[in-house]
Amino acid sequence: MSSTTVRVIQTAKETGDRLTELQPLSFRPDSEEKEMELINIYEDLEYQEIEGFGGALTEASAVTLAKLSPEKQQEIIDAYFHPEHGIGYTLCRSHIQSCDFSTGNYAYVDGVDPELATFNISRDQESILPLIKRAANAVGGSFRLFSSPWSPPAFMKTNGEMNNGGKLKPEYREAWANLFVKYIQAYAEAGIDIWAVSVQNEAKAKQIWDSCIYTAEEEKDFVRDYLGPALEAAGLSHVKIMIWDHNKERVYDRAKTAFTDQEAAKYIWGICFHWYSGDHFEALSAVHERFPDKKLFFSEGCQEGGVHLGSWNTGERYGHDIIGNLNNWMSSWTDWNIVLDEQGGPNHVGNFCDAPIIGDTLKDEVIYESSFYYIGHFSKYIRPGAVRVGSSRYTDKFETTAFRNTDGTYAVVVLNRTDSGLPYTLHFRDQLAEGSIPAHAIQTLLFQ
């Protein structure tokens, strides 16, 4: 049964609208004989299925959260993860050993230990695991966690430290793969199942923080000869493996190297990517067209350069990138830190960034950035299992994407980054509904 009305959820600059439900639009029969300003929905054209939306549960987020009052902590957990009052996060990321958004470098083994005899996750049990469990409990059975390493232990690397790049020494490839296994097993014992892992965060970047360089061949060979077989031997072949975990401009090159090697490709579920080098949306479609069985996963993005309190551009950056990725076959999306402190940290090398929620630990305040609301227009209404359907728009002054959820509800997101309001007429199943979107606004239209 088709809807007679269209629910309109709006976030708009210079207004109080923040994921605010407006008066619904009314459908009427399509009897017009003139050209119109249409957003068309083609429900019989189906594309990718959505795995979920979410953010990163880092040590920095956990430490920041712990400094806030219990009431503020619960407010943040509910804002992201509550199935009704939150924005619907179900898919989260964490780090294997330390990352820049840790309070310092740490590994799961002590000193030089290729046998991993000293392996333990005691550092994670201090703050990260409690945060992950809170998120998982808030979400329920649909919660998924994937994890990425920023660096192997220092002794396994050519430069002898976790920071400043370096490479994995060939003689420690087996030990490093075995550490993945021990990590997954230890988390399972702690009550958290790891859904997926990536081989290496930002595999091409020599950073002043935790980092490690892999060429495309090295990464592919590590999966084929070590990581894939290690997971399989441990009965963990259900844990998905992803490669690259870096910017979009080289996503096709990395995919081509890995996925044309059949022995490596059989272990690899998909390729994940970041946004820091620009749009490159067409690169995602290129990967899909060449390798349609592999998933495309946005694994990290944030506004760099510290906290940007009150910035509207931040939200628009998120909206633009998410729509572009979705329209080019992305199936999963995770933001970077879910919450950071008033400085945009903690970060052990001063690489401060913004987050959708800032927890002011000095004033015990929760501050919602524009990005929180913009993300919510997707994550709250495009649910796991939703399928992208065809759509078109009459002008490139706004951006759109359209999905059908498993309950039959359609969610159409409309983004206007221009300085002027724009009219549109939604066209669905020989019905029309006239609406408009203000300047610098985002809307989600819901109907059946």
Side-chain angles (χ1 to χ4, degrees):
M1 187 71 175
S2 297
S3 304
T4 58
T5 59
V6 179
R7 293 175 60 199
V8 182
I9 316 298
Q10 178 169 287
T11 296
K13 190 177 182 181
E14 312 296 351
T15 74
D17 291 344
R18 302 292 183 271
L19 288 169
T20 301
E21 184 149 5
L22 307 182
Q23 285 293 112
L25 310 179
S26 295
F27 273 125
R28 56 181 172 79
D30 179 9
S31 59
E32 298 288 340
E33 296 180 356
K34 62 182 180 180
E35 302 298 326
M36 302 185 70
E37 296 163 324
L38 294 182
I39 297 174
N40 289 304
I41 306 302
Y42 311 121
E43 61 178 317
D44 55 336
L45 295 179
E46 297 183 353
Y47 303 95
Q48 78 274 24
E49 180 179 318
I50 292 297
E51 301 284 345
F53 291 85
L57 307 173
T58 60
E59 186 173 61
S61 289
V63 167
T64 299
L65 198 72
K67 290 181 179 179
L68 300 172
S69 64
E71 295 77 15
K72 299 299 185 184
Q73 292 183 34
Q74 193 59 47
E75 178 184 338
I76 292 169
I77 295 295
D78 287 346
Y80 279 119
F81 301 108
H82 192 283
E84 295 168 12
H85 307 304
I87 61 170
Y89 275 12
T90 59
L91 176 58
C92 290
R93 185 190 193 201
S94 194
H95 44 93
I96 299 172
Q97 308 191 128
S98 59
C99 68
D100 53 326
F101 280 91
S102 302
T103 55
N105 293 124
Y106 68 90
Y108 295 144
V109 293
D110 299 327
V112 178
D113 181 12
E115 302 302 318
L116 311 181
T118 60
F119 179 90
N120 71 88
I121 57 166
S122 58
R123 174 69 172 256
D124 291 7
Q125 288 169 328
E126 293 174 17
S127 58
I128 298 174
L129 262 168
L131 173 58
I132 293 170
K133 289 179 178 179
R134 287 186 76 171
N137 289 336
V139 171
S142 59
F143 179 80
R144 289 173 170 176
L145 183 70
F146 92 98
S147 300
S148 308
W150 268 241
S151 173
F155 79 89
M156 293 188 185
K157 295 176 64 184
T158 55
N159 66 347
E161 61 170 317
M162 294 185 75
N163 300 340
N164 298 303
K167 290 194 168 194
L168 176 64
K169 291 181 177 179
E171 61 265 33
Y172 290 126
R173 288 171 183 163
E174 184 176 3
W176 182 224
N178 289 336
L179 191 143
F180 276 81
V181 171
K182 284 186 172 290
Y183 168 81
I184 295 165
Q185 291 171 335
Y187 263 59
E189 289 173 13
I192 295 294
D193 291 328
I194 301 298
W195 173 66
V197 294
S198 69
V199 175
Q200 170 64 44
N201 178 72
E202 299 191 344
K204 198 177 180 293
K206 178 183 177 181
Q207 309 282 26
I208 61 171
W209 55 86
D210 322 61
S211 46
C212 186
I213 305 296
Y214 289 78
T215 66
E217 290 286 340
E218 288 166 345
E219 184 177 38
K220 176 257 294 181
D221 291 350
F222 176 68
V223 173
R224 183 192 64 204
D225 300 334
Y226 297 95
L227 183 57
L231 293 183
E232 196 168 60
L236 297 172
S237 55
H238 61 280
V239 177
K240 295 165 173 45
I241 297 174
M242 292 180 281
I243 58 166
W244 187 224
D245 213 350
H246 204 169
N247 291 323
K248 281 181 272 184
E249 89 273 357
R250 286 183 173 82
V251 70
Y252 181 80
D253 298 336
R254 285 282 173 150
K256 184 177 177 181
T257 298
F259 299 154
T260 54
D261 183 324
Q262 293 306 306
E263 287 303 304
K266 71 181 183 182
Y267 293 116
I268 304 170
W269 181 75
I271 186 165
C272 44
F273 53 90
H274 304 175
W275 74 4
Y276 302 110
S277 63
D279 287 349
H280 292 286
F281 300 133
E282 301 85 353
L284 303 182
S285 277
V287 173
H288 175 79
E289 288 164 14
R290 180 76 187 273
F291 308 104
D293 60 323
K294 301 302 184 185
K295 302 292 186 178
L296 289 155
F297 191 135
F298 179 90
S299 54
E300 183 188 315
C302 72
Q303 185 66 41
E304 312 93 318
V307 175
H308 296 254
L309 283 184
S311 167
W312 203 257
N313 290 338
T314 304
E316 293 189 343
R317 182 183 183 188
Y318 273 87
H320 169 71
D321 195 72
I322 294 172
I323 288 176
N325 294 336
L326 287 171
N327 286 343
N328 288 275
W329 297 93
M330 179 184 75
S331 64
S332 311
W333 187 91
T334 51
D335 188 29
W336 194 203
N337 305 274
I338 62 165
V339 59
L340 292 172
D341 67 18
E342 60 280 355
Q343 193 173 11
N347 183 292
H348 71 85
V349 292
N351 180 37
F352 301 120
C353 295
D354 203 3
I357 293 180
I358 297 298
D360 190 325
T361 62
L362 304 177
K363 300 177 182 177
D364 193 37
E365 290 181 357
V366 177
I367 302 164
Y368 296 87
E369 299 280 52
S370 61
S371 52
F372 175 83
Y373 301 104
Y374 272 71
I375 294 166
H377 277 270
F378 303 90
S379 59
K380 188 175 178 67
Y381 303 107
I382 301 172
R383 305 301 298 152
V387 174
R388 182 165 64 93
V389 297
S391 64
S392 66
R393 67 199 195 280
Y394 76 94
T395 176
D396 63 2
K397 291 181 179 178
F398 58 63
E399 301 156 66
T400 61
T401 192
F403 283 80
R404 181 177 58 246
N405 287 297
T406 56
D407 66 357
T409 301
Y410 287 81
V412 178
V413 182
V414 184
L415 171 67
N416 179 9
R417 296 188 293 156
T418 75
D419 293 332
S420 301
L422 295 165
Y424 60 79
T425 301
L426 181 68
H427 177 216
F428 176 69
R429 290 183 186 168
D430 295 322
Q431 299 178 100
L432 302 174
E434 294 183 16
S436 62
I437 183 169
H440 297 289
I442 186 170
Q443 291 178 347
T444 303
L445 311 177
L446 302 168
F447 52 92
Q448 278 187 303

